[in-house]
Amino acid sequence: MLGAPLVVRPDYHLHLERYALTRDAVLRFVEVALAAGVTELGFTEHAHNFVQCRTIYPPDNAWIQTHCGEDRRRWDIDEYVRLLDGLRAEGLPMKVAVEWDYCPGQERALARWIDAYPWDFTLGAVHWLPGRDGGWWGFDMPDMATEWAARSVDEVYGAYFELATTAVETRLFDVFAHPDVIKVFGHRPRGSMAGHHARFAAAMAATDTAAEISTAGLRKPVGELYPDPTFLAEIVRRGVAVTISSDAHEIAHVGFAFADAEAAARAAGCTRRTVFTRRVRSFSPFPA
Ligand SMILES: [Zn+2]
Ligand SMILES: [Zn+2]
């Protein structure tokens, strides 16, 4: 007789950047994860925290090329992979990935980094939109938030969804992070986003890219899950697979509000999450 299916409950979006690239820091994440009912940890450090990976950003992204160099991490990607792979070899439930920014024009550099290591999954994201006077705007960054007042919210949403759709069409990503993060500060467009949502969801389905249900939005001014229920229903209706993640930058946030995200996925008609190993996917039912 077959038993109940094995329930794996990974958190596939975790950042070490406020801590250190050390065994101790990772073990603290593991401890909190297991206590929160998370069975697997997928680390997805920002590409910009690795000195070598800044090649995936356009040279005219001032924050990345200057400011970022001063007060962000200057980690070595080899060391990152070695640390996490080493802990996995010891039997810890570890998955190794990076959160890659999609920046148009930088696809070849990005593909080189993606091919360079045996990642468990590739997590794509859009955090940068073209600036009004050249350069790039980090629309989700609190210190660049005043730019919102100078923009048309509808146009910003449109630009975001177009870029996100182009990002998944590159087929570089197994999972797309926080699919409607553009709402982070709670700016709401006047027009309907249904067409943008439909095109984006269709691109995820056509390219077999999983959509991340992220609980990070619950901790941001917008105060809701990414993606919102209507968009999530559209994603699920098109047969797109999902992951559930916290986007924890603090250890205490590992597994944050997973029961809420699982309930939202169920309400949208989805019954299972995606599990990745060396870029091969399987599925695990949501816990009862
Ligand atoms: Zn992100
Ligand atoms: Zn993140």
Side-chain angles (χ1 to χ4, degrees):
M1 198 182 98
L2 289 172
L6 182 66
V7 173
V8 184
R9 202 177 188 223
D11 191 337
Y12 277 162
H13 195 149
L14 301 171
H15 293 280
L16 281 168
E17 68 176 11
R18 294 193 191 153
Y19 302 91
L21 203 51
T22 60
R23 187 186 161 82
D24 258 20
V26 176
L27 292 179
R28 287 173 61 202
F29 273 84
V30 175
E31 201 179 326
V32 170
L34 297 179
V38 167
T39 62
E40 198 173 273
L41 294 92
F43 285 91
T44 54
E45 197 44 70
H46 289 291
H48 65 235
N49 282 320
F50 302 109
V51 272
Q52 301 102 322
C53 297
R54 304 216 175 122
T55 55
I56 71 159
Y57 297 93
D60 62 344
N61 185 321
W63 187 86
I64 294 288
Q65 307 297 350
T66 58
H67 175 78
C68 171
E70 288 153 23
D71 50 330
R72 304 304 282 195
R73 295 297 186 173
R74 298 180 60 78
W75 286 342
D76 182 303
I77 195 159
D78 284 322
E79 238 176 82
Y80 172 75
V81 173
R82 216 178 307 130
L83 172 70
L84 297 176
D85 266 348
L87 289 165
R88 187 220 304 259
E90 290 178 31
L92 289 169
M94 209 63 72
K95 293 289 163 77
V96 189
V98 165
E99 181 175 9
W100 303 104
D101 279 301
Y102 173 69
C103 306
Q106 304 300 114
E107 292 83 353
R108 285 175 64 178
L110 181 54
R112 271 201 296 277
W113 285 114
I114 285 175
D115 291 342
Y117 294 90
W119 306 113
D120 284 303
F121 57 95
T122 60
L123 179 66
V126 166
H127 301 100
W128 295 97
L129 292 175
R132 275 176 303 146
D133 310 311
W136 293 85
W137 173 38
F139 60 81
D140 71 331
M141 295 175 63
D143 56 346
M144 296 189 195
T146 52
E147 175 69 8
W148 275 97
R151 300 264 192 152
S152 144
V153 172
D154 287 62
E155 278 174 29
V156 169
Y157 269 64
Y160 169 81
F161 282 115
E162 268 179 45
L163 203 52
T165 303
T166 308
V168 305
E169 284 170 349
T170 64
R171 298 179 182 266
L172 289 168
F173 308 117
D174 300 312
V175 186
F176 198 81
H178 38 61
D180 60 356
V181 67
I182 194 67
K183 70 187 179 187
V184 57
F185 293 119
H187 301 90
R188 296 295 186 182
R190 287 193 199 148
S192 163
M193 288 295 123
H196 287 297
H197 288 172
R199 279 191 295 280
F200 188 16
M204 288 192 262
T207 57
D208 221 7
T209 308
E212 177 189 78
I213 303 175
S214 170
T215 62
L218 296 170
R219 310 189 300 268
K220 301 288 182 177
V222 69
E224 59 181 54
L225 291 170
Y226 308 120
D228 72 54
T230 313
F231 186 20
L232 180 57
E234 173 81 21
I235 285 168
V236 171
R237 192 179 65 76
R238 289 177 185 263
V240 175
V242 305
T243 62
I244 293 181
S245 302
S246 67
D247 202 352
H249 289 67
E250 284 171 34
I251 289 175
H253 290 155
V254 181
F256 179 83
F258 267 25
D260 294 350
E262 287 156 355
R266 275 205 194 86
C270 177
T271 57
R272 59 186 195 171
R273 63 190 353 121
T274 317
V275 178
F276 288 96
T277 305
R278 303 295 192 205
R279 303 197 68 187
V280 175
R281 63 172 72 183
S282 57
F283 297 96
S284 179
F286 296 132

